[in-house]
């Protein structure tokens, strides 16, 4: 190993105090000479490699069984592909951060970074490989840095970008994974499957180890650059990572309007917001977290028709063109378009500080 690689590895593994011997403890086979970001930006988060264990053999239970231990307001990540739908409760993701799974025969990784409030899902296929992801124990700008076990390349969770190793410069494909309340998921998908708490690990599922984090602000030792002052650091924003035009919709705006009709990348979209979802990063118990609501983002076209939406009360939405009523997951519930589904647009509910550092050119929708 060259001096350059030893020093780079040393910085990544141990921070400012390290030695070449310490640098080899974790036995990374990562090619640290290939990187798209300064290596000094990647910091130790405390746990070692896989110290926060990903779930590689997930088990699932029925909605009825999960209803015994999930509160109505608890947040879950919903992934629906090829006729199969699964829910991944944050009370489990909080302790594992990554679930390697398949939904509708599509290999996916469902991820959650508590420090950035980023719940995102990715297609695990890159070229002719199916990747399995784990946690590096490192953070960049307070965001989870993942690694794939096939090449041990390192990936930025918030952007889906390879930042170190063989896959540096590559991007994972995002998959729609809205974060909604258990009530919303249960009503929409009574036959869905739910990630089981039988994970093979002993964890305090339902407990939040980051009490009041979403009110106190980012930990300064993990976020060492200036915070964009256009919005409060811990403002939740709906952000669309796969678009050419970065745009963020603040929850404070959405809570007042309930619906924003907009256009992104030349495509008409609608952003929905509904109350009834607890913050996973507030109270010691997730089910007692304050109500922060949840969001849905959809293309506004049904066939050749472009719809314009307005709030309809009770966390539902109405299009002005047909008078049909829709839910937070884009399902037509009543009216001429009952039974139809809006095309989802992949998005995340990030803390503003975390989104802004990766996309400083973001337009803020008011």
């Amino acid at each position: 190993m060259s001096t350059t690689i030893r020093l780079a590895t040393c910085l990544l593994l141990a921070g400012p105090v390290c030695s070449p011997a310490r640098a080899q403890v974790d036995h990374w086979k990562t090619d640290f000479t290939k990187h798209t970001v300064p290596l000094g930006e990647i910091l130790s988060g405390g746990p070692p490699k896989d110290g926060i264990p990903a779930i590689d053999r997930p088990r699932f239970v029925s909605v009825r069984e999960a209803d015994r231990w999930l509160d109505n307001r608890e947040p879950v990540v919903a992934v629906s592909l090829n006729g199969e739908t699964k829910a991944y409760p944050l009370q489990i993701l909080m302790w594992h951060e990554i679930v390697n799974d398949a939904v509708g025969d599509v290999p996916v990784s469902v991820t959650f970074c508590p420090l950035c409030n980023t719940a995102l899902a990715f297609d695990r296929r890159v070229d002719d490989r199916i990747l399995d992801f784990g946690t590096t124990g490192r953070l960049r700008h307070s965001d989870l840095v993942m690694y794939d076990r096939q090449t041990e390349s390192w990936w930025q969770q918030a952007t889906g970008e390879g930042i170190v190793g063989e896959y540096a410069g590559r991007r994972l494909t995002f998959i729609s994974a809205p974060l909604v309340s258990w009530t919303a998921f249960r009503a929409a998908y009574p036959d869905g499957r739910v990630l089981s708490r039988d994970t093979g690990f002993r964890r305090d599922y339902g407990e939040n180890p980051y009490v009041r984090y979403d009110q106190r602000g980012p930990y300064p030792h993990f976020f060492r650059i200036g915070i964009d002052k256009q919005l409060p650091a811990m403002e939740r924003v709906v952000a669309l990572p796969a678009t050419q035009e970065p745009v963020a919709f603040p929850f404070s705006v959405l809570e007042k309007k309930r619906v924003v009709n907009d256009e992104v990348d030349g495509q008409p979209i609608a952003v929905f917001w509904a109350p009834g979802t607890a913050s996973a990063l507030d109270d010691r118990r997730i089910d007692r977290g304050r109500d922060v609501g949840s969001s849905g983002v959809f293309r506004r076209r049904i066939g050749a028709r472009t719809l314009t939406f307005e709030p309809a009360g009770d966390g539902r939405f109405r299009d002005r063109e047909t008078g049909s009523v829709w839910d937070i997951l884009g399902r037509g519930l009543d009216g001429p378009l009952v039974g139809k589904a809006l095309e989802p647009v992949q998005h995340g509910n990030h803390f503003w500080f975390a989104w802004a550092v990766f996309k400083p050119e973001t337009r803020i929708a008011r």
Side-chain angles (χ1 to χ4, degrees), residues 275-294:
T277 303
S279 167
L281 299 164
D282 178 32
D283 195 273
R284 182 181 63 85
R285 291 284 310 175
I286 292 176
D287 58 12
R288 294 201 293 259
R290 75 187 190 285
D291 187 352
V292 294
S294 58

Side-chain angles (χ1 to χ4, degrees), residues 112-343:
F112 177 61
C113 176
L115 299 184
C116 296
N117 196 57
T118 51
L120 300 168
F122 305 96
D123 189 322
R124 293 194 282 125
R125 294 172 294 190
V126 176
D127 298 330
D128 58 349
R129 276 177 168 153
I130 297 177
L131 305 181
D132 303 303
F133 290 92
T135 60
T136 61
R138 277 75 185 171
L139 301 167
R140 177 171 173 260
H141 303 327
S142 209
D143 181 59
L144 164 67
V145 176
M146 315 181 296
Y147 80 97
D148 70 75
R149 299 199 182 102
Q150 284 64 36
T151 72
E152 297 203 352
S153 298
W154 292 16
W155 301 80
Q156 189 81 60
Q157 184 251 5
T159 62
E161 296 174 299
I163 57 174
V164 182
E166 180 179 330
Y167 284 132
R170 300 296 299 272
R171 288 178 181 266
L172 298 172
T173 300
F174 286 100
I175 290 173
S176 180
L179 184 64
V180 297
S181 70
W182 172 238
T183 292
F185 182 91
R186 183 180 58 203
Y189 303 108
D191 297 322
R193 305 294 289 171
V194 184
L195 180 65
S196 170
R197 294 199 290 187
D198 181 13
T199 62
F201 300 93
R202 296 185 63 182
R203 295 293 187 274
D204 293 325
Y205 298 126
E207 298 281 332
N208 164 30
Y210 306 92
V211 177
R212 303 287 184 265
Y213 171 72
D214 64 356
Q215 298 177 53
R216 290 201 301 257
Y219 297 138
H221 46 291
F222 295 146
F223 194 80
R224 298 179 176 178
I225 63 176
I227 293 174
D228 190 306
K229 301 296 186 182
Q230 294 183 80
L231 292 171
M234 305 307 278
E235 168 90 54
R236 285 173 167 81
V237 298
V238 174
L240 286 58
T243 57
Q244 296 297 314
E245 175 193 356
V247 59
F249 301 85
F251 268 41
S252 58
V253 173
L254 293 170
E255 185 175 2
K256 294 174 183 176
K257 294 186 175 182
R258 302 299 170 107
V259 180
V260 173
N261 297 285
D262 204 331
E263 189 171 293
V264 177
D265 290 351
Q267 297 294 319
I269 67 164
V271 182
F272 296 169
W273 183 92
T277 303
S279 167
L281 299 164
D282 178 32
D283 195 273
R284 182 181 63 85
R285 291 284 310 175
I286 292 176
D287 58 12
R288 294 201 293 259
R290 75 187 190 285
D291 187 352
V292 294
S294 58
S295 64
V297 184
F298 306 95
R299 302 195 188 282
R300 289 194 281 126
R301 287 201 178 104
I302 292 280
R305 175 180 282 167
T306 298
L307 304 178
T308 308
F309 292 91
E310 61 188 12
D314 297 324
R316 296 182 177 184
F317 314 90
R318 180 183 295 107
D319 72 75
R320 295 171 187 163
E321 287 70 23
T322 74
S324 299
V325 176
W326 307 80
D327 68 6
I328 191 68
L329 287 161
R331 299 182 310 137
L333 302 179
D334 193 15
L337 297 180
V338 64
K340 297 290 186 180
L342 299 170
E343 181 184 351

Side-chain angles (χ1 to χ4, degrees), residues 88-99:
Y88 302 82
L90 287 200
Q91 67 159 262
I92 301 174
L93 281 171
M94 181 80 73
W95 297 93
H96 297 281
E97 301 190 358
I98 299 171
V99 180

